Amino acid sequence: MGSTLSALQQSFPPKPTWGVDDIPDLTGKVVLVTGGNAGVGKETVKQLLAHNAKVYLAARSAQRANEAIAELKNETGKEAIFLQLDLADIPAIRKSAQEFLSKESQLHVLINNAGVMMSPKEQVTAQKYDMQFGTNVIGHWLFTQLLLPALFAATDASPSHEKARVVTGLIGNVVVARELARRYGDKIVSTSLNPGNIRTDILRHQPGWLNAIVYWLMYPVSYGALTQLYCATAPSAADANGKFFIPWARLGEPNKTALEPQIGERLWSWLENETKRY
């Protein structure tokens, strides 16, 4: 009953009480958004630019990323910076992180937004992992680990002792985000979230007839960006380390399994052992 109620609360949220107008001025902040070229990620980049952040838009396709950057510049007057990132290829992730660190010594906010969902079973990553798990969990975990020096540096350099933030989307990443919070809570604030049922192409692998049905139960991308923007920027989320948020920018409770410390430790250890092979 509890899980059913939680699912309903997340699928049919009340009207937002926090919005983009509540985002503080982000002048001087360096923010990186994975999958920022489309959907919720693109809307997130848009709002960050509008509030004066220096934004790196990380994406696999340079063409699509540059098209998005041009559109966002036209809308906001601000220009995001493209960062090549293929989360389905471990050596490519290492190269992307190295490129970022060669340009920036500090990273104030990392938003792990990119992801795939319901991909065909035959689709695998460059290292032959399941595409969804490999991209969403393995890819983001490794990318985050490689960027920790810049995140720690941002915290250390903050005059107000404000911690850098890592904001991560749903699925197995709830477990990873909580373990990240447990290990590095003295240096960063790690949160996870469910962005909501949003009309984006992440469901492109879902049968068309099902998309047609659920379309009417879904929300526009402007809503989907709210929760991760809240976690990334709101002063009230500065002490939310290890917390899970649901639509729209509300504190929630994940599946109880995700709260078990031993699961986080086992997954973390497995990720370390797997990624060191490449």
Side-chain angles (χ1 to χ4, degrees):
M1 181 64 182
S3 59
T4 301
L5 179 59
S6 176
L8 288 172
Q9 289 175 336
Q10 295 181 51
S11 298
F12 302 99
K15 183 179 178 181
T17 59
W18 187 92
V20 295
D21 291 340
D22 297 308
I23 298 173
D25 178 45
L26 301 174
T27 298
K29 302 290 187 182
V30 178
V31 186
L32 194 161
V33 182
T34 69
N37 61 301
V40 171
K42 184 179 177 183
E43 179 67 20
T44 299
V45 172
K46 175 183 175 181
Q47 297 302 334
L48 293 169
L49 289 172
H51 290 81
N52 305 313
K54 181 179 183 181
V55 185
Y56 282 82
L57 188 160
R60 181 173 56 86
S61 169
Q63 178 182 343
R64 292 179 182 177
N66 287 323
E67 288 173 354
I69 288 171
E71 291 175 14
L72 292 170
K73 183 178 181 181
N74 184 57
E75 293 177 13
T76 67
K78 310 289 178 58
E79 188 169 0
I81 303 166
F82 171 57
L83 180 69
Q84 184 86 47
L85 174 63
D86 184 354
L87 287 166
D89 185 356
I90 290 175
I93 295 169
R94 296 187 185 279
K95 182 179 179 181
S96 180
Q98 185 177 22
E99 180 182 350
F100 176 83
L101 293 173
S102 72
K103 296 178 178 179
E104 302 286 348
S105 61
Q106 297 178 24
L107 176 59
H108 300 89
V109 182
L110 171 61
I111 302 179
N112 290 321
N113 161 84
V116 296
M117 189 172 178
M118 298 181 70
S119 53
K121 291 182 179 179
E122 61 271 17
Q123 286 193 7
V124 294
T125 69
Q127 287 72 44
K128 308 302 181 184
Y129 297 103
D130 169 77
M131 181 60 77
Q132 181 168 316
F133 184 80
T135 299
N136 299 1
V137 180
I138 299 175
H140 273 134
W141 177 85
L142 178 60
F143 194 52
T144 301
Q145 294 306 297
L146 295 170
L147 295 179
L148 283 177
L151 290 160
F152 293 166
T155 296
D156 291 340
S158 172
S160 60
H161 307 290
E162 181 180 1
K163 294 178 183 177
R165 305 188 192 190
V166 179
V167 181
T168 308
L170 198 51
I171 313 174
N173 280 323
V174 176
V175 177
V176 174
R178 285 184 60 84
E179 184 64 11
L180 182 69
R182 188 184 71 81
R183 290 172 181 254
Y184 302 113
D186 60 327
K187 287 283 190 180
I188 60 174
V189 174
S190 172
T191 56
S192 58
L193 62 98
N194 172 12
N197 298 329
I198 311 300
R199 298 181 191 125
T200 72
D201 68 351
I202 195 172
L203 296 177
R204 60 188 176 276
H205 297 300
Q206 189 168 265
W209 63 266
L210 184 56
N211 278 336
I213 293 174
V214 301
Y215 179 87
W216 302 106
L217 301 176
M218 305 180 88
Y219 296 82
V221 292
S222 58
Y223 280 80
L226 281 179
T227 306
Q228 62 187 24
L229 283 167
Y230 172 81
C231 293
T233 70
S236 54
D239 297 320
N241 194 42
K243 301 299 184 181
F244 175 68
F245 289 84
I246 61 176
W248 314 111
R250 295 180 296 151
L251 188 61
E253 284 292 331
N255 185 293
K256 290 184 179 180
T257 303
L259 301 176
E260 298 178 11
Q262 63 270 28
I263 291 180
E265 292 175 6
R266 287 173 55 193
L267 177 56
W268 192 279
S269 178
W270 183 87
L271 289 166
E272 286 183 326
N273 291 329
E274 288 295 307
T275 55
K276 71 173 59 172
R277 297 166 51 196
Y278 305 100

